[in-house]
Amino acid sequence: MDLVLLGGRVLTMDDAAPRAEALAIRDGKIVAVGDSSHIAAMTAPGTEVVHLAGRSVIPGFIDPHTHFSTSAFEPIAVDCRIPPMRGKAQVLDAIAAAAAATPPGRWIWGYGYSGRRGENPSDLTRRELDRVAPNNPVCIFDSSMHCCYVNSAGMDVAGIGRDDPDPDGGEIRREDGDPTGTLWERAMNPAHETSMGGLIDALGDEATADLVQQTGMRYLACGITSTGDAAVTPAAARLYEIADRRGKLPILIHQLRSGDQFFAAPERAAHGEVGGDYTSDRIRAGTVKIFMDPVFPRLAGVQFHPDGRQEHLGRPYYTQEQADDLAMTAARNGLQVAIHCLGTWAIDQGLTAIERANAVSASPDLRHRIEHFSMGSRAQIERAAELGVLAVVQPSFLYAMGNVMNAARLDLGLDTANTPMRSMLDAGVNVVASSDFPCGPLEPMLGIHAIVSRHVRDVAEPVAPEEAVTAEEAIRAYTLAGARAMHREHEVGSLAVGKRADLVVLSNDPTAVEPRYIREIVVEQTYVDGKRLFDRYGRQVAVAAAGAGA
Ligand SMILES: [Zn+2]
């Protein structure tokens, strides 16, 4: 035996044997799950023994919707989040400091800005960015990732002309006809793709791979052993290939293939034409990402009036026919579709597109997904259950923005609460949890805390406590449900004999503590394929002699 873990509270997520005390691992796979005395008897000379001392073990977290490729550059990008930054002036100072230390001509990236928060909330302007970074192209992403702010050099390098017309589904914001530097939605596409490619070129393959490895370590520190990148463009695909070929991808990436640019229509992907992109044991594919609605200027929503009238607001990226066409094309080619739907109108279109895709799918079990399902009505929850849709929701948003989102729902007259996990599970929806990091906090334990306790950041009282789920249900949404969303439940998602030994050691058992203290539970160790890749305390674990450790 290579490794045994003894004396713990193991939550397996395996219905056949949901609880255990110990695990045995050989060649990266789980070979036994059971009580400590039984597993201790399997140790031999050279077996590593981890004494859990009552700690909890769960399957490695699976986060099927993050933006790993974007966050990979965070270590060399400017942190523009408000809070903790106070406002625009402080953000501009930070960009100026970065510019002073960056070779001329190299892209400067920033992340997390919001023109709607902090002191004197307003967008970063092209001229402000020109002033603080006169010699570099600059691209600062909005916290929503649906908009960015560029300087003049950024526009030039990305090939965005001052007089270019707005793309369909995007806007080059202007004042008196002059671009302000704010690029909404598809107008952001060239800046995102060109700058990511430019950063990879400037860094070179070795440093790029190192960044990916660091980012993987950051995920492992949260207990995440697999993630889905929810918009893989050609530049992102290149990033993954570079890292994997150098053995610097510590977690598994499932690619949700978007168009040739971030928000572009995934036409080639739906036809399976980019299915031949580099894949490996660590890099998976098979999913097509469709963005159904924007954030700017607003979601494609529905206002439910008290007299029963329904008013459509905003505009989806696609007509119903266009969306059906993309989804059906992908399904005919045996590809799963994952449709980003924030507003109620977008969810309607997404459900219809999936219904039509189901009818023509090359295989009956493609498991089409709606990403976010943020502003769903009761009727839509029931329809999602009927269609067998996977709803990939963000407990992280509930935690970070629970009060804001609840107010928005009330304004729209929606008949559901924010992140209605209880209602969705009770209706029979396949609910999957994710972070959408960097749009929400990465830590699954924060999401589990939010959907179990309904206690969220900056709010004293729990938000819609009737929507609480059990800790067991929450962990399942972050593990086995995520594995199903990636078609990987045969290899990960629960702790059962024969599966990969991807697992997390938690300081306490989330099912045993008072729910509002779940967020204080710490990820202590994370294992991938039986290897301990993260250890919070860096401690040396004794290698037991034969028979020891019982
Ligand atoms: Zn996303």
Side-chain angles (χ1 to χ4, degrees), residues 82 86-95 113 119-120 124 132:
I82 302 173
R86 292 175 193 282
K88 186 200 267 189
Q90 229 183 11
V91 168
L92 285 168
D93 283 349
I95 297 167
Y113 188 75
E119 297 166 352
N120 309 315
L124 292 165
V132 296

Side-chain angles (χ1 to χ4, degrees), residues 28-49:
K29 297 265 173 61
I30 297 167
V31 294
V33 183
D35 54 43
S36 290
S37 55
H38 171 67
I39 302 289
M42 300 172 81
T43 56
T47 302
E48 183 183 347
V49 179

Side-chain angles (χ1 to χ4, degrees), residues 305-524:
H305 291 284
D307 60 8
R309 223 163 20 92
Q310 293 187 11
E311 183 189 348
H312 284 69
L313 307 169
R315 189 166 74 91
Y317 267 122
Y318 301 100
T319 64
Q320 184 69 62
E321 292 67 31
Q322 290 169 330
D324 294 349
D325 196 45
L326 279 171
M328 289 163 75
T329 301
R332 275 193 201 100
N333 287 305
L335 297 163
Q336 177 190 47
V337 295
I339 311 180
H340 156 115
C341 302
L342 292 167
T344 313
W345 184 7
I347 295 171
D348 261 335
Q349 289 208 162
L351 289 169
T352 298
I354 287 177
E355 187 171 14
R356 294 182 179 154
N358 277 344
V360 299
S361 287
S363 130
D365 193 27
L366 289 179
R367 304 178 192 173
H368 301 304
R369 302 165 39 170
I370 299 262
E371 311 297 297
H372 310 306
F373 214 103
S374 306
M375 296 281 170
S377 66
R378 283 206 175 267
Q380 289 178 326
I381 289 174
E382 278 157 30
R383 196 173 165 213
E386 270 165 39
L387 293 172
V389 164
L390 276 62
V392 181
V393 303
Q394 282 74 44
S396 54
F397 290 3
L398 171 64
Y399 178 76
M401 310 179 270
N403 49 348
V404 181
M405 285 174 67
N406 229 32
R409 307 176 79 86
L410 290 172
D411 281 350
L412 289 166
L414 263 168
D415 59 358
T416 47
N418 186 356
T419 319
M421 288 283 287
R422 180 80 272 145
S423 299
M424 292 178 109
L425 286 172
D426 289 350
V429 178
N430 297 306
V431 185
V432 188
S434 84
S435 69
D436 199 10
F437 180 75
C439 300
L442 180 62
E443 298 85 346
M445 288 311 297
L446 276 184
I448 290 170
H449 165 86
I451 53 179
V452 176
S453 73
R454 305 293 296 189
H455 277 278
V456 306
R457 191 158 74 190
D458 298 336
V459 186
E461 293 302 314
V463 173
E466 70 281 5
E467 292 292 349
V469 299
T470 66
E472 191 114 25
E473 288 169 324
I475 295 168
R476 185 171 293 250
Y478 273 101
T479 55
L480 194 56
R484 285 197 75 246
M486 296 179 184
H487 290 269
R488 294 184 58 223
E489 71 274 18
H490 58 286
E491 54 174 352
V492 288
S494 64
L495 302 176
V497 171
K499 288 201 180 184
R500 289 175 174 232
D502 287 7
L503 49 97
V504 177
V505 176
L506 298 174
S507 57
N508 304 82
D509 177 352
T511 67
V513 304
E514 174 75 29
R516 66 200 171 98
Y517 297 116
I518 288 176
R519 55 173 295 191
E520 297 182 19
I521 296 176
V522 168
V523 171
E524 292 197 350

